[in-house]
Amino acid sequence: MNPQDLIGPFSPLGNPAPFWFITFFKVFGFILHMIPMNIWYAGMLLVAIFATFGRNHSLELAHRLSRSMPIIVAMGVNLGIVPLLFTQVGYYQFYYPAGILMAYAWFSVIVILIFAYYGVYVYSLSVKNNKHTKLALASAWISSIAFIFIGFLFANNFSLMANINDWIHIYNKTNVAGAALGTGLNTADPTLIPRWLMMFGLAITTTAVYIAFDAAFFKKRDTSPLTGSSTSDYKTWAGKFAFAFYTLGMVLFAVMGSWYIFGALEKSTFDQLSQNSFMYIIFGLTAVSPGLVWIAMLLQRKGVKRKVTIFAAILQFVVVTLNAVSRQWVQNLEIFRFKNISELPVNIQWSPMILFLLLFVIGLAVVGWMIAKIVAVEKSVA
Amino acid sequence: MHYPWWYVPSLTSPMLIAMIATIHVFVSLYAVGGGIVLAGEVSYAYKVNNKSLLDYLRSHTLFFILLTVVFGAITGVGIWWTISLSSPLATEALIHIFVFGWAMEYVFFVLEIVAAFIFHYYWGRLDPKVHKTIGWIYAVSAYISLVLITAITAFQLDIGNWTPDKGMWVAFFNPQTFPQIIARSGASLLLASLYIYLHAAFKLKDNAQLRALVENRTSKWAMAGAALVTVGGAWWYVNLPESAKAALAGASALNILTLLIFTASAVVFFMLYFGPYRNPGWLNPGFAILYFVIGIAATGTGEFIREGVRKPYIVYNYVTGNNVLISEIPKLQATGYLNGGTWTKAFMKAHYPQVFGTDGNIDGNKLLQLPASDQIKVGEVLFQYHCNDCHSTRGFSGVAELTRGWSKGMIHTVVTHLDKAHFFMPPWCGTEAEATVLTEYLQSRSEPVPEGMKFSNINSRENTLAEKVGRGEAEK
């Protein structure tokens, strides 16, 4: 079987927007999704660990994280719609077959996510109502494990999308009279594990920055009912912990990233990457950018500082952005080898596109207005 | 047919869409209607300064968020998941037509989420005017998302004047859009009211006065919803394409369900009028549960009918129920279904290279020269890709049962005249040779006439006659 034979034809409808526009919104949407997703991905595990073994400040951190987690998950799930939408517009010939080959696992994401999300609520409400039951603790653990497993399934589908050679092996092993049984997984792909854990490393770093940000901006001036200690004690502890946690994430990111680039990536892709100087710079920046945030976190190891935290958050946004851009670049290299999907004729839908962009801006303004109102409430309380 | 087909034994994979979509609709309609009712009632409670009503609405908002933001949102994403797995070609088409419609919907989703959380978590902390405004931001955003998604599902039922060279707006303003928007707006208000009754019946069990107030005020929303459902439903029926009207008239299951939905709607309407509207105070948990179950049954039935009458299309006159573009059918009938499918052709190349001719396509004569057992296997491939969208082998709409007692000739006749035998089935999209191997497969799975039936002799005679007819058709 020839992998080229498994790639379907272009849509006769043409692309509703130029390919660059589709890719831009796919990447932009992914960046916006990644920030909250990173926080629940690593953050929920932290909640479970500290809720079980934590004392004083670490337990307080678990409670603080869990209280904001329902909102973070809601935002992340919704922000995930955009990259998924534009993936289906531009990359359908690869996204659909990959999903179908591992259909049961992919379908299970929805079921697992429902349980994970309700688990978040169970723990969060137990903290809010000060009822620390075993069920709540179990829910936190179930949610955290479920999120990490969902990450594994996502890594599977999105790596399989570009791993067309392995479609054949999976299809041959799991078809019933030519129809996919949907029981495959991309586990034979050497990039799978480093991709999955690289994202987990990145998630730890984003969560660490969030912890510092939360302590710097959202921690009210009061005495903690849990620890009996003051706000400044918590802020000092949070700065120290966030720095350590960031270091852990950065190391994991560096190790898995190195494994991915130097040990798992196909040689031809690696060669293409190293031959293009612009890509070389982007990948170099992707690799070193967490180091800059690490320095900003280092400066806060004796206590979070608002200005430095803002700086760290902006830098972390750049880290996430570079990561998304690099991932897209690799994906395009891997896919374009089989089919240049940017060649599909464009049939631009101007007025819907303009209306969408207009609504996007208006939507941001309305969200900004609502946030301004709650910030005013918070300020008046402080 | 440009994608691998996902085989789900016994059930068929599109049934997963139906399951997820129906469950989702129960909650998503509440997400829209509930948002409107909450915004309206909170505005009223502030206006009359009724603190106990505000407290109740606050508790209902948490229930609302737990159900809609979690279950509703994720099952909504779940529909995307399943349609991409079970109907990839139709999804590909819809995404390319409506990408910016969906993108707009995403903007309103984000507004909904932000507004819903602020509305709940800052209850009592925001200025009442700001609080009400945020409630209405949620309600308007949720309603616009209903309008956007309804236009897309309406387009599936009737594409109107849309052709592939026309843009999204022509597709958006199809003949079904406004009737369905009105019907769904009504359903959302009606269902939201039933959710409120359910919640209030338990939450306000010991507060008869407040419960009566909630009951009475909510019944007005519910009555308005019932009126909209009636108007939208009637307009929906009038605007249905002829094929859908014929499906509604011809399919006994749809007849029964239509009767069921009218009965359930009428029962809910009378219960509303004589219960909460005329006699507030009747509401108790049992009554509320009964209400809710009937409402859910009516909504689910309505959705089933809406989906059922669309057959044989996923997108009317554009994509058939078995994921074939209408424009590709003539070519498939001339050169073969297995040749036309990306994965079927690759599969055949790998497993039966001997059936390919010098032009790189499958040769019908060579296909028929395969040993009988291999013909059955190739027939099964055809079954998976041509039939399994709607039929399992044994299970949901199982062909083993549907062809019980049929002769080979009968099966062959039906296969080659699918759309004539049943107008709600797509036409046969393959060659004569492919029809023959599919017939071999179906014959191998077909169940015999049940033993012990008194008129089994008559059956035998009918089979003989039918076989002759079938053979005659095949010879033609």
Side-chain angles (χ1 to χ4, degrees), chain B residues 319-393:
Chain B
V319 185
T320 62
N322 52 354
N323 272 282
V324 175
L325 291 170
I326 303 290
S327 56
E328 290 183 336
I329 292 176
K331 192 182 170 199
L332 295 173
Q333 288 172 335
T335 59
Y337 194 77
L338 295 168
N339 268 323
T342 305
W343 288 71
T344 48
K345 189 168 183 178
F347 180 85
M348 291 300 289
K349 261 189 192 172
H351 292 85
Y352 302 98
Q354 67 274 34
V355 301
F356 280 80
T358 48
D359 61 350
N361 284 332
I362 295 168
D363 182 329
N365 291 327
K366 291 184 178 178
L367 199 61
L368 297 178
Q369 284 164 16
L370 286 173
S373 61
D374 282 345
Q375 285 191 34
I376 289 174
K377 284 179 184 167
V378 174
E380 190 178 2
V381 177
L382 278 159
F383 174 78
Q384 295 278 33
Y385 280 81
H386 200 290
C387 317
N388 190 232
D389 286 79
C390 303
H391 300 283
S392 65
T393 312

Side-chain angles (χ1 to χ4, degrees), chain B residues 237-300:
Chain B
Y237 180 79
V238 170
N239 269 22
L240 276 180
E242 286 307 314
S243 63
K245 280 183 184 164
L248 205 54
S252 53
L254 293 181
N255 287 174
I256 295 164
L257 290 175
T258 308
L259 186 68
L260 185 67
I261 191 171
F262 274 107
T263 311
S265 303
V267 168
V268 167
F269 189 83
F270 281 109
M271 284 169 76
L272 272 170
Y273 183 77
F274 290 109
Y277 185 67
R278 293 289 299 269
N279 300 291
W282 277 16
L283 193 67
N284 60 43
F287 194 64
I289 291 169
L290 185 65
Y291 246 157
F292 185 73
V293 170
I294 296 171
I296 288 288
T299 309

Side-chain angles (χ1 to χ4, degrees), chain A residues 5-6 11 14 16 74 78 82 84-85 88-89 92 99 103 106-107 117-118 121 176 178 180-181 349 351 378, chain B residues 3 5-7 66 70 74 80-82 85 92 95-97 99 106 113 117 122 125 168-169 342-343 384-385:
Chain A
D5 293 344
L6 299 177
S11 166
N78 278 279
V82 166
L84 196 67
L85 177 65
Q88 293 189 69
V89 180
Y92 52 95
W106 193 233
F107 182 72
Y117 199 173
Y118 274 118
Y121 262 105
V176 175
L181 195 53
Q349 296 194 12
S351 59
E378 294 295 342
Chain B
Y3 298 103
W5 176 247
W6 180 23
Y7 167 65
L66 283 174
V70 183
I74 295 175
W80 268 40
W81 243 244
T82 25
L85 295 173
E92 174 202 304
I95 291 268
H96 280 81
I97 300 164
V99 57
Y106 143 79
I113 296 291
F117 281 121
Y122 284 84
R125 296 170 68 191
M168 186 186 102
W169 297 122
T342 305
W343 288 71
Q384 295 278 33
Y385 280 81

Side-chain angles (χ1 to χ4, degrees), chain B residues 450-467:
Chain B
E451 283 181 21
M453 291 179 74
K454 280 182 184 173
F455 41 87
S456 57
N457 290 337
I458 300 169
N459 267 348
S460 307
R461 219 166 39 236
E462 278 180 348
N463 285 347
T464 313
L465 279 171
E467 197 161 354

Side-chain angles (χ1 to χ4, degrees), chain A residues 1 5-17 21 32 70-71 74-75 77-79 81-82 84-86 88-89 92-93 95-97 99-101 103-104 106-107 109-110 113-114 117-118 121 125 128 154 167 171-172 175-182 220 344 347 349 351-353 355-356 359-360 363 366-367 369-371 373-374 377-378 381, chain B residues 2-9 16 20 62 65-67 69-71 73-75 77-78 80-82 84-85 88 91-104 106-111 113-115 117-118 120-122 125-126 130 133-134 137 162 164-169 318 325 328 342-344 346-347 349-351 377 380-381 384-385:
Chain A
M1 215 176 258
D5 293 344
L6 299 177
I7 300 164
F10 280 131
S11 166
L13 296 169
N15 269 338
F21 183 96
L32 294 181
I71 300 167
M75 288 307 294
V77 168
N78 278 279
L79 291 171
I81 292 171
V82 166
L84 196 67
L85 177 65
F86 284 95
Q88 293 189 69
V89 180
Y92 52 95
Q93 291 147 301
Y95 172 74
Y96 293 143
I100 292 166
L101 290 172
Y104 282 103
W106 193 233
F107 182 72
V109 166
I110 297 301
L113 187 57
I114 289 174
Y117 199 173
Y118 274 118
Y121 262 105
L125 288 173
K128 191 183 167 196
F154 264 86
W167 288 6
Y171 178 64
N172 282 339
N175 80 79
V176 175
L181 195 53
K220 285 178 190 149
L344 174 62
N347 184 14
Q349 296 194 12
S351 59
M353 186 203 281
L355 183 60
F356 159 62
L359 287 171
F360 188 76
V366 175
V367 168
W369 178 81
M370 288 192 283
I371 289 172
K373 291 294 171 191
I374 61 170
V377 168
E378 294 295 342
V381 172
Chain B
H2 300 151
Y3 298 103
W5 176 247
W6 180 23
Y7 167 65
V8 175
L16 294 171
I20 294 275
L62 179 62
I65 285 179
L66 283 174
L67 204 55
V69 173
V70 183
F71 194 79
I74 295 175
T75 50
V77 178
W80 268 40
W81 243 244
T82 25
S84 70
L85 295 173
T91 310
E92 174 202 304
L94 288 172
I95 291 268
H96 280 81
I97 300 164
F98 289 106
V99 57
F100 292 113
W102 263 307
M104 288 177 221
Y106 143 79
V107 172
F108 291 103
F109 279 158
V110 172
L111 279 174
I113 296 291
V114 175
F117 281 121
I118 294 177
H120 175 66
Y121 286 107
Y122 284 84
R125 296 170 68 191
L126 287 167
V130 174
T133 308
I134 288 173
I137 288 174
W162 180 85
D165 57 319
K166 288 180 181 159
M168 186 186 102
W169 297 122
Y318 190 67
L325 291 170
E328 290 183 336
T342 305
W343 288 71
T344 48
F347 180 85
K349 261 189 192 172
H351 292 85
K377 284 179 184 167
E380 190 178 2
V381 177
Q384 295 278 33
Y385 280 81

